Amino acid sequence: MFFHIILERNLQLHPRYFGPHLRDKLVSKLIHDVEGTCSGRHGFVVAVTAVENIGKGLIRDGTGYVTFPVKYQCVVFRPFKGEILESVVTMVNKMGFFAEAGPVQIFVSNHLIPDDMAFQAGDVPCYETSDGSVRIQKDSEVRLKIVGTRVDATEIFCIGTIKDDFLGLTGDPGGAA
Amino acid sequence: MSTEPFRRLVKLVARAFYDEEIPAKGPNRSKSDKSDNRGIAIVILDALTRRQWVKEEDLARDLKLHPKQLRRTLRVLEEEQLVVREDHRETVKAAKAYNAAIAATSDGKPGEQEKEEKQKVHTHSYCCLDYAQVYDVVRYRIHRAKKKIKDELEDRNTVQEYVCPNPSCGSRYSALDALQLVNPFDQNFHCERCDSELVAESDKLAAVELADGDGDDNARRRQREKLRELLEKMEIQLKPLMEQLARVKDLTPPDYGTFTQWEKKAIASGRIVSSNGEVPELKVAHGQGPTGTPMPFLGETKVEVALAGAEDSKEHIKEEVAATAKVLPPWMIRQGMNVPTSYSDGRHEVKTEEGLGLANSTALDVKPVEDKEAIEQKLKEEYYKAYYAALLQRQQEAAQVHTVATVVTDEQVTTHGQEIATSDRQVGMKSKRDEREEEEEEVEWEDASVSGGLHAVNEDATEGGLLEEQTAVEPGVGDEGDDEEIDWEDG
Ligand SMILES: [Zn+2]
């Protein structure tokens, strides 16, 4: 689920940037530092949308670096148990398959894959129905439901299922490309 | 309240869960005694449904079982929370008390009493069914069984576990660790410690043949079929039990308390019952019955009062109880009898139960009290009837004599509400009521309705149209009534 929230962060800036473009430099550094990171608490930071407030800088003893407290708005993505996500398959093995929904990695174990789909080893390992009408392989698009999350301080990992109504293959690799 | 539904429940439980050999439980059971005890639990549980608290020795004698064998089974049943047991160190006196209690609850067996009197201080065990607990335990048991199968069937235990097949390692991982377990070369899951390939864990009911590697999917399918079958079978086999559970759901289970409580109560009630039999006046009153129903066995009773007093007086008191039960609201009776029929049917059931000789335990416990209550209740009833009759008369008089504005308007409003609730022939009803009212009032009423109509959208104030308006806007009825009242007072 996506949220638009306000976060705060202390940014350290090298003295060489002190000048007319200090604020721009701060913002670009913020974006560079923050976007794409993950915290267990807030989820993945997808994008910084605005800088609310930049506080007074504090010169650090000895180094000359200055620490600015920055308040910024950003969009975060936090997966929850029970959430439905569209994802792209990244790897298939006999235990199941891995998929990505944006920054989140999801593992779908084979007992959460419908029973009519069987694992086919080979050059391109895949899960396939016996009539071959549905085939999940690398780069397939899959809609799945999150059934468990593992939240660490700096990463979130999910396990999902496609064994439910309206879940499963939504697009073939060709469509994805 | 009838205990029969609960007895039936226990019998069903016995047959559902204890018809096999009772598995050896606990370390205190030696392996050497492999006596065939199949079905004994059923016999014991059935016997217990016919008793309240019972000394285990007596039970053993009645069932022609070895006391040890009985005790063994009872211990299992106690562990399963179906039966409560109590040990008592007793003197002869205490044994007597117990015998008295038994005599009071089961029509007396004077022969046994003397036999028991010779006993010295002894530890005796007593046991009794705990009906309330049985109900809970069985429900929980079924719930757990169903949940286990269903979870497995629907893969509700979603986090797949993986184990290391290496016997010296045996590490366990869950699907949440998947990312770390993937081996970049063969893309399979490998143990983090010994790097052997992991195997999906399955501690499942029907997963016996899953172990043999390649046939994984077929095995899974077969497993699911098996589970589904299992669930179906269970539902079918437990159906009568489930039904009985549902039936029992809103009933209060019979509660005999602890052994000491029960003993006291039983003795007390027993005494009163016997003394009751010796009072002829009461007897006659019972014989005629408050409802005046003929009782064919009345003549015999008179003769045998002294000897078989307990038995017969019980019969009468039952009748009495049944008769007083008539006062109770019908839903209560139905609940107790557990038969969705009329009251008279319920009473029949009481009789037949008596006839079958199934212990009429709860009734017995409260009998003497209820007997007094019956008389008291009758008196109260009479009083209430008279009181309400007088009250009603008064009200009617008041309604006729008084033409106080508020009273009449109130009445009008209420009758109005009734009209709407009950019939769609509003106009007719109204005219009827108007006839009842005095003429001047009628005029006033009509005025009022016109003003009420002004509030409504439609302005043509013919009476019929107006009433239709009123009925159409049902929730507004009360408001309009108020309007009318105000207008009427103005007039
Ligand atoms: Zn290992």
Side-chain angles (χ1 to χ4, degrees):
Chain A
M1 205 178 290
F2 292 95
F3 297 92
H4 194 200
I5 55 171
I6 296 170
L7 292 178
E8 231 182 301
R9 186 179 177 89
N10 289 328
L11 286 179
Q12 287 189 30
L13 208 62
H14 194 273
R16 78 183 123 142
Y17 299 114
F18 298 170
H21 302 295
L22 185 132
R23 191 189 157 90
D24 292 347
K25 189 62 212 169
L26 264 178
V27 171
S28 64
K29 184 173 167 51
L30 174 74
I31 289 170
H32 178 263
D33 281 5
V34 157
E35 282 184 2
T37 61
C38 171
S39 77
R41 187 174 153 80
H42 298 106
F44 298 90
V45 177
V46 177
V48 174
T49 54
V51 175
E52 288 248 303
N53 176 40
I54 298 173
K56 284 186 174 164
L58 239 158
I59 301 170
R60 307 202 70 180
D61 293 340
T63 61
Y65 275 85
V66 175
T67 307
F68 292 94
V70 181
K71 236 183 193 176
Y72 60 99
Q73 295 175 3
C74 62
V75 175
V76 293
F77 174 60
R78 170 76 159 80
F80 288 97
K81 203 169 159 178
E83 192 173 346
I84 310 282
L85 291 177
E86 310 259 315
S87 63
V88 178
V89 175
T90 54
M91 194 195 93
V92 178
N93 69 14
K94 67 174 179 187
M95 294 299 192
F97 65 83
F98 288 85
E100 275 177 1
V104 194
Q105 297 228 49
I106 303 140
F107 174 63
V108 179
S109 68
N110 57 15
H111 79 300
L112 294 177
I113 295 171
D115 292 326
D116 59 350
M117 301 188 81
F119 177 69
Q120 309 287 340
D123 268 0
V124 187
C126 66
Y127 283 87
E128 200 175 23
T129 53
S130 53
D131 61 354
S133 61
V134 181
R135 185 180 156 92
I136 293 174
Q137 63 192 54
K138 189 171 167 2
D139 293 332
S140 295
E141 291 175 2
V142 168
R143 183 184 295 129
L144 50 81
K145 183 166 91 177
I146 293 173
V147 292
T149 57
R150 173 192 170 135
V151 179
D152 298 330
T154 58
E155 90 183 321
I156 296 177
F157 181 69
C158 299
I159 52 176
T161 178
I162 57 168
K163 209 187 212 176
D164 212 337
D165 295 341
F166 307 108
L167 298 183
L169 194 71
T170 54
D172 289 319
Chain B
M1 194 155 277
S2 172
T3 59
E4 187 51 35
F6 281 93
R7 278 194 217 123
R8 195 172 138 69
L9 176 68
V10 171
K11 286 174 190 170
L12 285 169
V13 169
R15 278 153 188 79
F17 299 126
Y18 299 100
D19 62 339
E20 294 282 298
E21 182 114 356
I22 289 182
K25 261 190 193 168
N28 51 347
R29 183 104 20 108
S30 61
K31 278 167 194 163
S32 59
D33 64 33
K34 277 192 176 165
S35 61
D36 181 24
N37 62 3
R38 193 175 304 165
I40 280 184
I42 297 182
V43 174
I44 292 172
L45 284 172
D46 277 9
L48 283 175
T49 62
R50 277 177 252 116
R51 291 162 174 79
Q52 300 179 14
W53 277 97
V54 64
K55 191 186 281 181
E56 286 177 20
E57 289 164 36
D58 292 355
L59 188 62
R61 195 172 50 228
D62 289 353
L63 298 178
K64 310 246 184 307
L65 280 173
H66 195 279
K68 267 188 186 164
Q69 201 181 7
L70 175 75
R71 191 155 305 160
R72 209 180 298 137
T73 316
L74 279 175
R75 214 172 281 145
V76 175
L77 294 176
E78 190 189 16
E79 264 172 36
E80 306 260 317
Q81 313 268 334
L82 301 178
V83 165
V84 276
R85 295 171 75 228
E86 274 184 41
D87 290 334
H88 283 278
R89 268 183 73 76
E90 291 186 334
T91 56
V92 182
K93 204 179 162 195
K96 251 190 202 165
Y98 166 72
N99 282 323
I102 278 294
T105 50
S106 59
D107 309 346
K109 286 175 197 161
E112 283 173 34
Q113 209 159 328
E114 285 138 39
K115 226 185 284 169
E116 231 77 54
E117 260 171 309
K118 285 161 200 157
Q119 282 176 347
K120 296 275 152 58
V121 183
H122 253 308
T123 306
H124 293 296
S125 303
Y126 297 86
C127 60
C128 182
L129 277 171
D130 189 342
Y131 288 97
Q133 186 117 292
V134 168
Y135 174 61
D136 288 340
V137 161
V138 170
R139 267 183 345 173
Y140 185 62
R141 187 180 191 138
I142 293 173
H143 169 77
R144 287 303 298 255
K146 260 197 194 146
K147 192 173 181 302
K148 188 163 168 58
I149 298 177
K150 268 192 183 154
D151 278 3
E152 243 181 84
L153 199 62
E154 291 162 25
D155 286 312
R156 196 80 58 74
N157 41 351
T158 40
V159 182
Q160 174 74 47
E161 301 232 305
Y162 302 97
V163 283
C164 178
N166 189 341
S168 61
C169 172
S171 302
R172 295 178 72 93
Y173 303 93
S174 86
L176 289 167
D177 305 313
L179 212 53
Q180 289 93 292
L181 300 174
V182 181
N183 182 301
F185 302 109
D186 66 355
Q187 303 204 322
N188 283 325
F189 292 169
H190 284 251
C191 179
E192 285 181 330
R193 275 161 70 185
C194 65
D195 205 39
S196 45
E197 202 174 315
L198 295 177
V199 178
E201 161 80 330
S202 53
D203 51 350
K204 310 212 163 158
L205 283 176
V208 196
E209 64 258 75
L210 212 144
D212 42 40
D214 302 322
D216 250 12
D217 295 294
N218 278 334
R220 242 173 40 193
R221 211 158 297 142
R222 250 177 298 158
Q223 174 193 340
R224 288 177 60 84
E225 263 162 40
K226 234 177 168 182
L227 282 170
R228 209 163 288 142
E229 226 171 78
L230 203 65
L231 194 67
E232 251 168 53
K233 251 193 217 161
M234 191 174 92
E235 303 237 305
I236 292 167
Q237 287 175 0
L238 291 184
K239 204 173 168 232
L241 187 57
M242 297 299 287
E243 280 168 0
Q244 190 63 23
L245 280 172
R247 230 171 276 152
V248 153
K249 194 176 138 210
D250 295 321
L251 306 183
T252 32
D255 182 15
Y256 303 124
T258 64
F259 175 68
T260 4
Q261 282 169 357
W262 168 81
E263 199 176 43
K264 268 184 202 147
K265 226 198 226 163
I267 291 168
S269 67
R271 227 170 251 153
I272 294 160
V273 165
S274 63
S275 71
N276 205 6
E278 288 156 19
V279 182
E281 289 90 9
L282 259 179
K283 262 268 133 110
V284 174
H286 293 165
Q288 283 164 352
T291 47
T293 35
M295 295 181 187
F297 44 82
L298 190 62
E300 281 176 29
T301 319
K302 269 178 190 161
V303 182
E304 292 178 6
V305 163
L307 292 174
E311 172 88 20
D312 284 338
S313 65
K314 221 185 285 165
E315 199 80 41
H316 289 300
I317 289 156
K318 266 281 177 178
E319 285 295 338
E320 180 79 55
V321 168
T324 51
K326 199 173 193 175
V327 184
L328 297 172
W331 53 268
M332 221 168 156
I333 293 157
R334 233 174 254 160
Q335 241 183 6
M337 302 315 172
N338 202 19
V339 180
T341 51
S342 67
Y343 160 70
S344 61
D345 284 359
R347 193 152 127 220
H348 275 302
E349 192 175 304
V350 172
K351 273 188 202 161
T352 48
E353 192 189 316
E354 188 88 351
L356 281 170
L358 288 166
N360 30 51
S361 34
T362 39
L364 250 177
D365 285 349
V366 285
K367 225 173 252 174
V369 190
E370 216 154 10
D371 201 16
K372 274 182 211 156
E373 267 176 9
I375 295 159
E376 249 175 51
Q377 212 170 339
K378 245 196 291 173
L379 278 171
K380 267 187 199 165
E381 239 178 48
E382 297 272 327
Y383 176 72
Y384 283 145
K385 252 185 226 161
Y387 178 73
Y388 280 127
L391 205 68
L392 200 70
Q393 208 180 354
R394 255 231 196 122
Q395 277 178 341
Q396 279 170 350
E397 273 173 15
Q400 277 176 4
V401 174
H402 284 267
T403 45
V404 181
T406 49
V407 174
V408 177
T409 39
D410 277 352
E411 266 189 4
Q412 277 178 342
V413 170
T414 50
T415 44
H416 191 72
Q418 278 169 2
E419 260 175 56
I420 285 159
T422 52
S423 90
D424 41 4
R425 287 183 58 226
Q426 302 292 326
V427 182
M429 286 286 283
K430 184 172 166 77
S431 62
K432 231 186 246 170
R433 190 200 55 224
D434 286 346
E435 276 163 32
R436 257 194 306 145
E437 244 66 67
E438 282 101 331
E439 288 122 340
E440 40 175 296
E441 271 182 57
E442 189 185 354
V443 175
E444 302 276 38
W445 172 261
E446 267 173 0
D447 280 352
S449 352
V450 171
S451 63
L454 285 172
H455 287 280
V457 192
N458 203 339
E459 288 249 42
D460 73 324
T462 64
E463 221 188 285
L466 217 146
L467 276 157
E468 270 167 25
E469 277 284 343
Q470 285 178 339
T471 47
V473 193
E474 249 196 22
V477 164
D479 296 344
E480 276 175 57
D482 287 344
D483 287 343
E484 281 160 15
E485 190 178 346
I486 292 155
D487 288 330
W488 193 77
E489 272 172 346
D490 282 346

